[in-house]
Amino acid sequence: MVDQSAVGREFTPVTARVEPGRLRFFLDTLGETNPVYRDEATAQAAGFAAAPVPPTYLFCLEMMDATVPFEFLTALDIDLARVLHGEQRFDYHAPVVVGDTLTFHPRVTSVTDKKGGAMTLIVVETGVTNQSGVHVADVSRTIVVRNARPS
């Protein structure tokens, strides 16, 4: 069972480049047709340096380029079969566009037991910087772990 000692734990940073082909695949998967995400001229007319990424793309990008996509589960000895997706939040501080190279810095910020210890909520917050060192976003995810009942 994950306890408070996990708070502050950091995981391997992930570096990922925003590539137009992978972004198009993501947009096609979602059925996203807004031209600002697909057309350079439309994006520039809207004030972006290049096509921006849609809000949830950062989570996908971090997972695709991580050497060990579920590192935090292994590091905290969490059984994937007991994990539920709780919540996700994206706070953008600057645009992220095609051509950017991003670095993700994940760390555990909260561990909370619920239902008398039947479940644990773990919050992993990830600061994201671009190739110029600009803090472009914060990504937060809450993982719900269903704990084994004592025998």
Side-chain angles (χ1 to χ4, degrees):
M1 190 164 141
V2 178
D3 61 29
Q4 292 296 318
S5 68
V7 175
R9 184 141 182 201
E10 297 180 1
F11 304 104
T12 306
V14 174
T15 299
R17 183 170 165 74
V18 180
E19 299 172 359
R22 291 197 323 180
L23 179 58
R24 253 190 324 274
F25 181 76
F26 181 80
L27 295 169
D28 290 345
T29 301
L30 295 178
E32 176 59 66
T33 59
N34 186 335
V36 76
Y37 296 124
R38 295 175 177 270
D39 179 65
E40 186 90 11
T42 301
Q44 289 176 350
F48 296 99
V53 301
T56 60
Y57 188 63
L58 292 182
F59 178 72
C60 180
L61 194 59
E62 180 187 11
M63 293 295 285
M64 286 191 299
D65 283 20
T67 304
V68 182
F70 294 106
E71 178 188 12
F72 73 97
L73 296 177
T74 304
L76 299 177
D77 196 27
I78 298 171
D79 179 0
L80 180 59
R82 296 191 162 281
V83 170
L84 299 171
H85 176 75
E87 179 181 84
Q88 212 164 13
R89 189 184 76 234
F90 302 87
D91 296 316
Y92 280 83
H93 310 296
V96 173
V97 299
V98 168
D100 279 347
T101 299
L102 306 174
T103 303
F104 299 79
H105 300 273
R107 66 183 172 89
V108 175
T109 58
S110 172
V111 173
T112 307
D113 287 331
K114 295 287 187 182
K115 304 275 185 185
M119 64 177 69
T120 302
L121 279 56
I122 303 167
V123 177
V124 176
E125 293 188 0
T126 303
V128 185
T129 56
N130 69 12
Q131 65 280 355
S132 300
V134 175
H135 183 191
V136 294
D138 289 304
V139 178
S140 175
R141 61 183 177 251
T142 301
I143 308 302
V144 179
V145 180
R146 296 174 295 117
N147 294 315
R149 295 180 181 194
S151 50

